Amino acid sequence: MDEVHAAPNLSAPISTTVSDGFLLGLESLMGRKDQGHHLAVTVLELEGTPDPEALKRVATTLGHRHPIIHARLRRSLRTFEAAWHPTRPAPIPLHKHDASDLDSLIHTLLNEPSVDIHAEGPNIELHVVTLAPDRWALLILWPHALLDGIGINKFIAELAGGDPGVAHGETCQEAGSPGTLWKRAEPVIKEMRSFPSHRIRSLHQKGSKPTGNRFKVFRFTRTESETIRSKMASTAGELLLLPYYACCAARATRAVIASRHPDEEVPILLSLPVQRQPNPAKRPLFHNHMVAYSLLLTAEDLQELPSATRILYKKYADFLRRKLPAAMEPLTKLMERCPSRFYLKPATFYLNGEICSLFHSHTGQFLPGVTHLFGASLINGYHVPSVSSPPGIGIFFSEYDAQLSCTVSWKDGSLNDEEFHLLQSTLLEDLGATSISSP
């Protein structure tokens, strides 16, 4: 890896993808409601001692190699389409900390962020945390408007000295007129029109003004992870991994909503990402390359975990069979071209103030094939995203080296202590986890 690449052309804006309208809408919603920014912290726990010179060298190299790391996101006054406008390249900021409580530092990074995609400054930060004489962590703070779960894997692989392949994204084809986009999006719009017949709820407390981000990371040991996988295999089968974890997340969220509204048959409107490029090897490094599919599960659907998993799988397969992801693409392109308050207000009015019941994703194998970083052994890795309110909560899964991690993220005011205990106990019972690893 060369230490510094020649400065690239800074005059050419870098287009967003057709997947980014949804993420830009969430970023705008959070900004208007004083909820901070749509960020995530990726945590890499390592054994050994950090190499300051190697870290500094990589931070400098990547900061110059990828102008988008120091680019501002702006909308065209003529078309309102968004693009990244690079500024002068600079090293990625590298901060050092001594801390025994990793979660407290993550909490600070999410709640006192120095990353803002609309303002001057870097879009990515590296934080080196010394936890013990032979144990440290690398924290990567990044905005969801720039990267997704697959993109951050590729970024870390480049940190480790790999080749990321395509750097900035795809070539965006001409989208067409708003009328053309609306016609192409009509199948999924028709699907969404069926949702208001159900009383959609989330953990968002109407009338409240949530600001802070809270989270809990369940770091399961290999033994606990094997127990969870064994239950999954006996309950749903290994091939139903994604719907199984999604149903666990949906049932835990529903338990809390149902405790607030015991006289209602509470459905769950689940937001699931569908990758537009299913082969991770062909996925570019930056931007988001998914469409968000909202899938409705009724109270009856969610009664039992095995049947809920099969029902969700059938609905998900039907969604793909009817090629609704292709209809979501022009819809998100319309969203990108339109100020978010113009489409979020009708959407939330249509769903009685909601977007969905929760956010969920399973990013699969975390950093497959990567065992060392900067000469240190990688012992675990996971993500801690922030979420917007509504819906006020997200439940996310990933796995590194046979260790499952689950992050529950929520906004202040969305859950009280008793409700979090109910959500946690429901989630762990469905997973089959009898104990929780210490941080």
Side-chain angles (χ1 to χ4, degrees), residues 235-236 240-255 268 270 272 295 297 301-313 358 360 395 397 426-427 430-431:
T235 302
L240 298 185
L241 178 148
L242 186 148
Y244 182 80
Y245 288 130
C247 283
C248 290
R251 280 168 50 84
T253 304
R254 181 186 176 276
I268 289 292
L270 186 63
L272 291 174
L295 186 149
L297 292 166
D301 292 338
L302 290 167
Q303 282 298 318
E304 301 292 338
L305 181 59
S307 58
T309 302
R310 290 191 292 270
I311 290 168
L312 179 59
Y313 175 76
L358 77 154
H360 167 77
I395 301 178
F397 290 86
T426 305
L427 182 63
D430 274 357
L431 290 173

Side-chain angles (χ1 to χ4, degrees), residues 142 181 231 243:
W142 51 277
L181 291 171
K231 182 183 178 186

Side-chain angles (χ1 to χ4, degrees), residues 98-316:
D98 289 313
S100 58
D101 185 356
L102 198 56
D103 286 354
S104 293
L105 179 57
I106 298 170
H107 182 272
T108 299
L109 293 178
L110 290 177
N111 285 286
E112 301 174 16
S114 51
V115 167
D116 181 351
I117 59 175
H118 301 295
E120 292 296 327
N123 295 315
I124 296 176
E125 289 183 352
L126 304 179
H127 294 260
V128 179
V129 188
T130 301
L131 301 170
D134 60 348
R135 190 179 178 94
W136 61 288
L138 178 64
L139 275 53
I140 306 171
L141 178 65
W142 51 277
H144 234 310
L146 183 65
L147 292 160
D148 60 15
I150 294 177
I152 192 64
N153 267 4
K154 287 177 173 285
F155 180 78
I156 297 168
E158 188 174 359
L159 281 178
D163 181 0
V166 181
H168 294 307
E170 60 196 27
T171 301
C172 298
Q173 298 179 352
E174 180 63 33
S177 67
T180 300
L181 291 171
W182 182 268
K183 186 174 181 180
R184 288 168 52 201
E186 194 170 6
V188 79
I189 294 172
K190 187 180 297 184
E191 178 89 354
M192 292 177 174
R193 284 175 178 162
S194 66
F195 297 154
S197 61
H198 303 268
R199 182 63 183 268
I200 306 302
R201 295 188 184 274
S202 73
L203 298 183
H204 171 69
Q205 300 277 22
K206 293 179 175 61
S208 67
K209 292 185 177 181
T211 53
N213 299 292
R214 298 189 63 188
F215 67 92
K216 171 69 175 180
V217 180
F218 300 106
R219 304 167 176 91
F220 299 108
T221 65
R222 287 184 178 82
T223 300
E224 291 165 346
S225 299
E226 180 56 36
T227 300
I228 292 170
R229 281 194 297 273
S230 295
K231 182 183 178 186
M232 179 184 69
S234 63
T235 302
E238 291 282 354
L239 294 178
L240 298 185
L241 178 148
L242 186 148
Y244 182 80
Y245 288 130
C247 283
C248 290
R251 280 168 50 84
T253 304
R254 181 186 176 276
V256 178
I257 300 173
S259 72
R260 295 179 184 177
H261 308 281
D263 298 328
E264 293 186 16
E265 292 292 316
V266 176
I268 289 292
L269 187 60
L270 186 63
S271 179
L272 291 174
V274 179
Q275 284 291 330
R276 295 172 54 244
Q277 170 52 265
N279 184 352
K282 296 180 179 179
R283 277 274 282 94
L285 172 56
F286 293 112
H287 301 315
N288 288 267
H289 297 268
M290 58 83 185
V291 290
Y293 169 47
S294 295
L295 186 149
L296 184 76
L297 292 166
T298 66
E300 184 179 359
D301 292 338
L302 290 167
Q303 282 298 318
E304 301 292 338
L305 181 59
S307 58
T309 302
R310 290 191 292 270
I311 290 168
L312 179 59
Y313 175 76
K314 289 179 180 178
K315 290 187 176 184
Y316 190 79

Side-chain angles (χ1 to χ4, degrees), residues 29 33 35 199-211 253 256-257 260-261 348 351-359 387-394 409-416 419:
L29 167 69
K33 302 294 184 181
Q35 294 183 26
R199 182 63 183 268
I200 306 302
R201 295 188 184 274
S202 73
L203 298 183
H204 171 69
Q205 300 277 22
K206 293 179 175 61
S208 67
K209 292 185 177 181
T211 53
T253 304
V256 178
I257 300 173
R260 295 179 184 177
H261 308 281
T348 54
L351 291 175
N352 194 31
E354 301 290 356
I355 297 174
C356 58
S357 299
L358 77 154
F359 296 131
V387 295
S388 65
S389 189
I393 187 171
S409 297
W410 70 97
K411 283 292 185 186
D412 276 333
S414 296
L415 283 167
N416 60 36
E419 289 175 334

